[in-house]
């Protein structure tokens, strides 16, 4: 026979199960209704047809996807992948030394630096992008200062170009790279690096043969966290890019709000989603491979 | 690495400067007397006065605060129980539900915007401030859940067990034990989701109805019509507001 307290505990466990379901239900329903359902709606719309005056006609067809094969869309997707990759590489090159520096500070200073890295990220993205217009435009701060100093004789035309877009993206998403890299580097056992030095490894070998393999999950996480928002960027190419710097995000916005071709816009979104999912799968593979290694060792 | 401290340090300081310089420049030039905004002609508060008198800007600010306030309430009402549920649920179910909850964090904002727009179109819901609130609550829910769960994981489960053993009902346990201990995280989550909502442009851009102009929408249309010292002033105000709110949020989360 069970002791009274054990019976009470069992009853409570059952009640707990019910209570947990009730706790989760509202949030799950909300997420299903306002996140999963909208994504499914996009999928359905991508297989529908555009009405004569915009809107959606529910005739099933895959024409929208066929239309995506048009060279113009291919060029924009290619350009987006290129700019997002460039952004990711530059962020990695800038972020790694910074994250390494932070990870080797005293815990107190680490906390300060991390907050300093995070704070700009939490300020209005629109405003931060606008700041670059103010700095880079022909009559902007950079040209005014350089002209006054006599370092240049004619203003540098850099705004409204792919260079400006990549600069804006790097600026916007650098914190996303630094934080996971920091977390990974901070966990690396210092004695391993010391051992490499003792075995006469040069700087490059320590970096490439010790630090990079040990921080790979952090590197992948940082790259994915920078690549995904860069690929889907809208504000940065819209404000800093020129006529030829259109990215997928701008194209989707154009199809939805200006051309009002919702089915085509939806098909574009599905392709973007597929690319994002690809990046996520790469991320989870790298993480679970790292977990497996940790468990095996 | 070794013997490289100086180089690494300068590089890191430069990196940090890169993150802060553009914002700082805007703030300084918001006080510039000149209309030609890149040449310095003395200090003036005139652009701030101009903002203050701008009727449309006041309406937009009101809309933004309303949206941020209500969507934050929705997020907390849904997020607190969801975070508690995720902590109590069996791990097999957790592995299934966690990615669903976190999904809005990884899909590009443009997609979130058009997806919600299509949902509202299909449901024939007219776009308004209400649709903006729903959108903001949708992408902010995972943010709140992450912060609240981080705190829940640090709570000592024995405190609740002791309360139950002393005959407390689950509601009493929540009211008297969990909620007070969770309070800093709640404040942190609240301030952060409020700030994100206040700053959101993309989702709002897609799901805002006519007349539902929020502050970022207003800023966007101002930027599109050209650089002006007024935008610099407005930018400075927005930056200060979010930095203040986020600073407070981080403070509460660390307690």
């Amino acid at each position: 026979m069970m002791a009274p307290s054990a019976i009470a505990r069992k009853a409570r466990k059952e009640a707990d199960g019910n209570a947990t379901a009730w706790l989760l239900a509202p949030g799950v329903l909300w997420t299903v209704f306002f996140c999963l359902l909208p994504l499914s709606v996009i999928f359905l719309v991508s297989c529908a047809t555009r009405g004569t005056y915009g809107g959606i006609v529910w005739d099933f067809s895959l024409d929208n996807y066929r239309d995506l094969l048009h060279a113009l869309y291919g060029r924009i997707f290619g350009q987006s992948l290129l700019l997002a990759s460039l952004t990711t590489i530059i962020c990695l090159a800038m972020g790694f030394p910074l994250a390494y520096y932070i990870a080797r500070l005293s815990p107190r200073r680490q906390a300060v630096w991390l907050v300093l890295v995070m704070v700009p990220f939490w300020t209005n993205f629109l405003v931060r992008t606008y700041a670059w217009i103010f700095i880079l435009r022909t009559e902007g701060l950079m040209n005014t200062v350089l002209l006054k100093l006599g370092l240049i004789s004619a203003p540098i035309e850099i705004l409204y170009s792919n260079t400006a877009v990549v600069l804006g993206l790097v600026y916007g998403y650098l914190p996303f790279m630094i934080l996971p890299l920091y977390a990974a580097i901070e966990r690396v056992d210092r004695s391993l690096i010391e051992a490499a030095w003792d075995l006469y490894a040069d700087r490059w070998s320590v970096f490439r043969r010790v630090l990079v393999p040990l921080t790979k999950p952090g590197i992948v996480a940082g790259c994915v966290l920078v690549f995904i928002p860069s690929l889907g960027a809208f504000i940065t190419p819209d404000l800093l890019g020129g006529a030829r710097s259109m990215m997928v995000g701008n194209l989707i916005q154009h199809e939805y709000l200006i051309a009002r071709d919702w089915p085509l816009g939806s098909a574009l979104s599905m392709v973007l989603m597929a690319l994002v999912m690809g990046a996520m799968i790469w991320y989870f593979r790298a993480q679970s491979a790292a977990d497996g290694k940790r468990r095996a060792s | 690495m070794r013997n490289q401290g100086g180089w690494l340090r300068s590089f890191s300081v430069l990196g940090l400067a890169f993150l802060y310089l553009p914002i700082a420049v805007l703030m300084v030039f918001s006080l510039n007397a000149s209309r030609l905004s890149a040449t310095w002609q003395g200090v003036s508060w005139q652009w701030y006065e101009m903002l203050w008198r701008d009727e449309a800007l006041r309406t937009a600010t009101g809309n933004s605060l309303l949206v941020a306030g209500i969507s934050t309430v929705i997020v907390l009402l849904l997020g607190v129980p969801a975070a508690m549920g995720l902590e109590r649920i069996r791990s097999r179910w957790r592995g299934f539900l966690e990615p669903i909850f976190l999904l809005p964090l990884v899909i590009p904002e443009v997609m979130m915007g058009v997806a919600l727009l299509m949902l509202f179109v299909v449901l024939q819901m007219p776009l308004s401030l209400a649709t903006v609130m729903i959108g903001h609550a949708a992408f902010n829910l995972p943010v709140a859940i992450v912060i609240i769960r981080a705190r829940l994981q640090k709570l000592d489960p024995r405190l609740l067990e002791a309360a139950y053993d002393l005959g407390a009902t689950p509601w009493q346990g929540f009211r008297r034990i969990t909620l007070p201990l969770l309070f800093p995280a709640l404040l942190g989550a609240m301030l952060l989701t409020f700030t994100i909502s206040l700053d959101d442009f993309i989702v709002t851009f897609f799901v805002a109805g006519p007349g539902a102009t929020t502050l970022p929408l207003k800023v966007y249309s101002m930027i599109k019509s050209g650089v002006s010292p007024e935008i610099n002033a407005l930018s400075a105000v927005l930056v200060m507001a979010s930095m203040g709110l986020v600073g407070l949020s981080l403070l509460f989360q660390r307690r």
Side-chain angles (χ1 to χ4, degrees):
Chain A
M1 197 185 135
M2 272 195 265
S5 76
I7 294 173
R9 208 165 284 155
K10 195 179 170 222
R12 198 156 60 219
K13 218 173 213 171
E14 269 161 29
D16 263 10
N18 272 331
T20 308
W22 281 111
L23 285 172
L24 283 165
V28 170
L29 282 178
W30 179 272
T31 310
V32 167
F33 204 80
F34 292 117
C35 185
L36 293 185
L37 185 63
L39 292 176
S40 330
V41 168
I42 289 201
F43 174 67
L44 289 178
V45 173
S46 77
C47 301
T49 316
R50 178 178 186 269
T52 323
Y53 306 104
I56 308 158
V57 178
W58 296 105
D59 283 336
F60 175 84
S61 87
L62 290 174
D63 288 357
N64 299 306
Y65 289 95
R66 202 196 54 208
D67 289 349
L68 290 187
L69 297 175
H70 193 280
L72 175 69
Y73 298 124
R75 202 180 65 79
I76 293 176
F77 264 100
Q79 165 134 308
S80 304
L81 285 169
L82 184 75
L83 294 184
S85 310
L86 257 172
T87 303
T88 310
I89 291 166
I90 297 174
C91 279
L92 184 59
M94 284 180 75
F96 204 98
L98 243 158
Y100 185 86
Y101 175 71
I102 298 174
R104 290 292 172 261
L105 290 169
S106 67
R108 210 191 173 81
R109 298 178 112 206
Q110 278 185 18
V112 174
W113 272 78
L114 285 177
V115 170
L116 284 176
V117 166
M118 260 157 69
V119 165
F121 162 69
W122 292 119
T123 61
N124 195 305
F125 195 84
L126 209 51
V127 164
R128 287 191 294 144
T129 310
Y130 164 73
W132 284 107
I133 302 185
F134 182 76
I135 295 171
L136 297 180
R137 71 199 181 111
T138 318
E139 326 65 76
L141 187 65
M142 187 185 75
N143 281 322
T144 310
V145 170
L146 290 178
L147 280 171
K148 270 198 184 140
L149 291 176
L151 290 174
I152 50 171
S153 52
I156 305 171
E157 304 285 349
I158 186 180
L159 189 61
Y160 308 127
S161 69
N162 285 347
T163 317
V165 174
V166 172
L167 180 68
L169 289 174
V170 169
Y171 171 67
Y173 299 126
L174 185 59
F176 283 167
M177 182 63 86
I178 296 175
L179 296 177
L181 278 179
Y182 156 80
I185 297 171
E186 208 254 342
R187 251 182 287 159
V188 171
D189 189 347
R190 264 173 193 240
S191 55
L192 290 172
I193 295 171
E194 291 299 322
W197 287 121
D198 290 344
L199 295 168
Y200 303 107
D202 58 64
R203 247 170 224 153
W204 174 243
S205 319
V206 171
F207 172 71
R208 208 178 61 83
R209 314 264 301 263
V210 182
L211 217 44
V212 168
L214 285 174
T215 55
K216 199 175 165 216
I219 295 175
V220 175
C223 288
V224 169
L225 286 176
V226 171
F227 184 78
I228 289 179
S230 303
L231 188 66
F234 169 70
I235 294 176
T236 318
D238 186 57
L239 293 182
L240 303 182
R244 292 179 61 81
S245 334
M246 205 184 214
M247 288 176 74
V248 191
N250 310 88
L251 185 60
I252 291 175
Q253 183 260 344
H254 178 88
E255 291 303 333
Y256 271 100
L257 301 185
I258 296 162
R260 295 188 72 78
D261 191 341
W262 292 340
L264 186 64
S266 301
L268 283 165
S269 308
M270 290 318 293
V271 177
L272 177 61
M273 189 72 185
L275 291 171
V276 168
M277 285 299 148
M280 288 306 295
I281 289 169
W282 182 50
Y283 166 78
F284 280 116
R285 282 228 173 123
Q287 301 302 317
S288 60
D291 279 352
K293 246 183 229 166
R294 212 169 291 146
R295 226 166 277 145
S297 62
Chain B
M1 275 151 250
R2 191 186 273 179
N3 311 326
Q4 224 176 349
W7 178 85
L8 207 56
R9 196 190 146 80
S10 341
F11 182 87
S12 305
V13 172
L14 275 179
L16 213 56
F18 170 66
L19 289 178
Y20 280 88
L21 216 56
I23 311 175
V25 160
L26 270 194
M27 288 180 146
V28 170
F29 275 84
S30 69
L31 292 168
N32 186 6
S34 163
R35 178 121 207 122
L36 294 163
S37 39
T39 17
W40 186 260
Q41 291 189 343
V43 175
S44 150
W45 290 95
Q46 56 174 321
W47 313 117
Y48 288 92
E49 279 162 29
M50 214 162 154
L51 288 184
W52 184 248
R53 284 196 304 267
D54 191 332
E55 206 61 50
L57 209 58
R58 270 193 226 182
T59 318
T61 311
N63 283 343
S64 273
L65 292 174
L66 189 67
V67 167
I70 294 185
S71 66
T72 300
V73 170
I74 300 175
V75 162
L76 285 186
L77 287 178
L78 296 166
V80 174
M84 289 173 63
L86 278 174
E87 282 309 304
R88 294 161 49 144
I89 204 171
R90 253 177 259 137
S91 57
R92 184 151 45 95
W93 278 96
R94 189 187 295 152
F96 172 70
L97 285 176
E98 229 169 14
I100 295 180
F101 272 122
L102 296 184
L103 190 62
L105 287 183
V106 294
I107 47 182
E109 266 192 285
V110 170
M111 275 216 65
M112 192 78 185
V114 297
L116 283 164
L117 173 66
M118 283 300 101
L119 177 78
F120 296 139
V121 165
V122 168
L123 295 179
Q124 297 186 334
M125 261 173 91
L127 299 180
S128 63
L129 272 187
T131 48
V132 178
M133 287 168 196
I134 291 176
H136 287 199
F139 65 67
N140 265 330
L141 183 60
V143 177
I145 290 180
V146 168
I147 296 175
I148 296 166
R149 280 186 71 189
R151 179 77 186 181
L152 280 173
Q153 282 161 359
K154 278 189 218 145
L155 295 188
D156 187 347
R158 284 173 302 183
L159 290 173
L160 256 189
E161 278 162 25
Y164 287 151
D165 284 345
L166 292 170
T169 62
W171 173 247
Q172 281 173 324
F174 174 72
R175 259 299 275 116
R176 302 282 192 81
I177 310 284
T178 314
L179 197 58
L181 289 172
L182 210 54
F183 196 65
L186 288 185
L187 271 178
M190 196 182 84
L191 289 165
L192 200 57
T193 52
F194 190 86
T195 316
I196 298 175
S197 166
L198 214 54
D199 282 340
D200 177 75
F201 167 70
I202 297 181
V203 172
T204 316
F205 185 55
F206 283 100
V207 299
T213 305
T214 63
L215 216 41
L217 292 185
K218 178 82 182 136
V219 174
Y220 180 75
S221 69
M222 283 168 85
I223 295 175
K224 278 284 174 179
S225 61
V227 170
S228 79
E230 236 191 309
I231 311 179
N232 297 359
L234 183 53
S235 303
V237 173
L238 287 176
V239 166
M240 301 282 259
S242 4
M243 281 195 179
L245 287 169
V246 169
L248 276 178
S249 166
L250 292 176
L251 214 65
F252 285 124
Q253 284 177 62
R254 296 189 70 193
R255 275 186 43 183

